[in-house]
Amino acid sequence: MLERTLFYSLEPLGIGTLQVEGLRSYVQRLAAAHSTPPRALLGTLLARFPFGSDMQASPAEVMRALVSYGSGRLIAEVTKRLELATGQSLEACTLERFGGLLAPQGFSRLQDPKYCPSCVQEDPRCHGHLAWDVGCVNVCPLHNVCLLSAKHCGAPNEEHLVLQQRPFLPSVCNQCGSVGFRCVVHDATPATAEQSWTAAAVAGAVAMSTEARGRCNAASVIAGLQMLVDTAYGGSSVRASLTAGLSRPSVGQWLLGRGKPSLTGLLRLCQGANCELSAVLQGDFQAVEVDRVPLDAPTTRQYRASHVTTDELRSRLAEALNVRPAPTVAEFARQNSTSARWVRKLFPEEAGKLAEMGKIQREMERAQAYEEALATYKNAAEELISRGKRVSPKNVEKLSGLVAFSSNTKRRHALLAAVTGAAENRHQGSANGTS
Amino acid sequence: MTEESAARQNELFEARVKHPAMNRLVEELMPLLLTPSETNIIIVTGATGVGKSTVTRVLLKQLMRDFAVEIERDQSALPFVGVEAYANGDQRHSFKGLYEDICKELQEPGMVSKAPLTEVDGRLVMNPQSRNTVAGLRKVVESGLRHRKTRVCVIDEAAHLLRFGRDAAVMDTLKSLSNTTNTKWVLVGSFDLFDLVASHGQIARRTTILNLERYRATSAEDRDAFKRLVTLLQAKWPCSSVPNFSAISNELLEVSLGCVGLLKNLMLDAAALQIKNRGEWDPRFLRRAAKASKLRKVIETEIEVGEAKVRDALYGRSTWDDKALEKLAARMGGCISA
């Protein structure tokens, strides 16, 4: 038998363009071509090309890591294996290609995959763009409309598919299977000028060719940043940080090479200077051809912390204790531009009370969630009884549209309570009927 | 039987000899497979033991040579696949087994976790339960053929397809598979395969039939080729004392009905008798090894009926005879430059 690649040699789409495909989308399309769920595909991949003894990851963990950035060797190892299994070069499809250049915090969108409503309207089978996987990109760089959450389904609960039947494709609703998210009907929201600028800059950077990426390294980022500060901010890092609304020490540390710049911070500096992000990463300065987009004022850092005195903080804390729902210590600190540690140190008693109130509040919220779930399940159980159908956890889940995942203890208990209660009621009802 | 003689007997059994008719058939077949046309189903028939399975092997080797560049260039491509439509004892069985074999040949990974996608009213649904159904497997096969860039599928013992259902239904399935995946299907099997085509004009339009000719005692060229074949098989004789079969090649041609398979059966049985007789040859072995005349008659009748059935449906046998063709050529004159 001929020795062939494990998977089909599916070409990644949009390489070298703003629509370059992300690795998650690629794996989903490959899995669909093989008529298998993505996790099963990754399971097959890891069975054929297992990790060494120094690395362990389940297919589910690998699936999550596909859009990650700065997750160590995992994504690099997975990409290498996928390349072996398909015979395609997939380096351009990962965010990991910027590994070592920028700070990983908030870089990629791990939890909530997004899609562009205009892209899926034009092509209901379109692929997922790599730029959509970047945390700070909230609009489509092509259509300038806000991205929508792929987790939101507009179809009624009855039309939701059971878990085993849910498809995994970037332009298909995972919950109801609607191709091109036709289940979501509201109009696309136009993007602000700043959002569009950010999206275009990031899309330009992720579309960078392999050769251009080869020119990027930690030193080139520092050189680019220095050139940007020199050209656009008269060589003053303080001016640069004040214009971009960033902390002065942060920009200083980045210029000294003592810390990696965050993507959002670098984008604000670039926007303030109206220059290309991709050029800065390559150690260069290149002005953007479009008109300058002014930075949004509210996001500019205010340094309010220096104006808050200890007495003011105490009085605000006393006010916060009377607010319902009370903020957490961290929220309170953020609202007053100070650190939670500092609040706890200065006012341990009040901070303790705030924490205690938060605990009580969370318990109340959980109890309320339980009651709501119980009510939903009970209604569904009664509906099933009235239809003469069997009251089972599966049927109740399906009818209520509320899934009781095994990890959600409260909801699972509510489901079982509703089902048991319904069964008892029916038993009593039939016993009364007999007597 | 010693290990050495058993090995030599096996060597004789495994011996494959290409005969001129086989070469002619492969030469005719290759252009049909390699050029795009609407003739998507090609049937290769032939008498029992004439060498149809050998033709399949030769064809697969030839395809390997012709697609070598493509195979080298694309590490995932499988431009051709060869499977056998086996019979498993059931009176009727479905395409399921065939699809599973094709998936195996296409090196389809993770067959246990398949969940084919179906689109209904603009909604895409995964169906894990359909992985074991004919419809589900068909989707997997279609996707595999498309993505592995398969252009030719060869099915040996294709007469077993007749047990899959009505003839027209079988051919419709192959026709639609061929259309959706842009592949050519070569069905190798007995004369019964003609029944698959005869049922429907739509299918006949897309089908070509080739027959693997047996050696004819009436043709001097065939007699010489048959003699060379006997000599080649004789060279693989498992005993040290080798009977001179080539001297009686004409008689062997007659008794084996010109079919290599029947000749090999005769020689293998004779060799077994000689080995049992401690390597001593006895001419009476010939009589014991040759097919009983009644069985031979059955085979001969079946071959003649089969050949008569496909004679006028064969590739190249058009309505124009030599005389009509001459007239057409005269009217057409030379070629017009493009």
Side-chain angles (χ1 to χ4, degrees), chain A residues 16-32:
Chain A
T17 68
L18 299 184
Q19 301 105 298
V20 58
E21 184 171 22
L23 197 59
R24 174 164 51 191
S25 160
Y26 180 79
V27 168
Q28 287 177 341
R29 281 199 308 119
L30 186 66

Side-chain angles (χ1 to χ4, degrees), chain B residues 1-15 17 228-246 248 252 260 262-290:
Chain B
M1 191 186 283
T2 62
E3 266 185 36
E4 193 192 349
S5 56
R8 294 206 65 184
Q9 174 85 342
N10 195 45
E11 210 176 310
L12 177 63
F13 176 72
E14 290 293 334
V17 188
R228 280 198 299 279
L229 167 73
V230 172
T231 313
L232 279 170
L233 290 175
Q234 190 178 296
K236 294 187 184 291
W237 196 249
C239 303
S240 53
S241 150
V242 183
N244 186 5
F245 287 112
S246 53
I248 55 161
L252 288 173
V260 186
L262 292 181
L263 172 75
K264 264 178 78 181
N265 280 356
L266 185 152
M267 289 178 83
L268 279 166
D269 288 353
L273 289 169
Q274 189 181 347
I275 290 166
K276 200 178 171 191
N277 198 29
R278 292 173 189 162
E280 290 295 318
W281 173 253
D282 186 337
R284 281 177 298 178
F285 292 160
L286 267 180
R287 192 166 58 196
R288 286 172 66 184

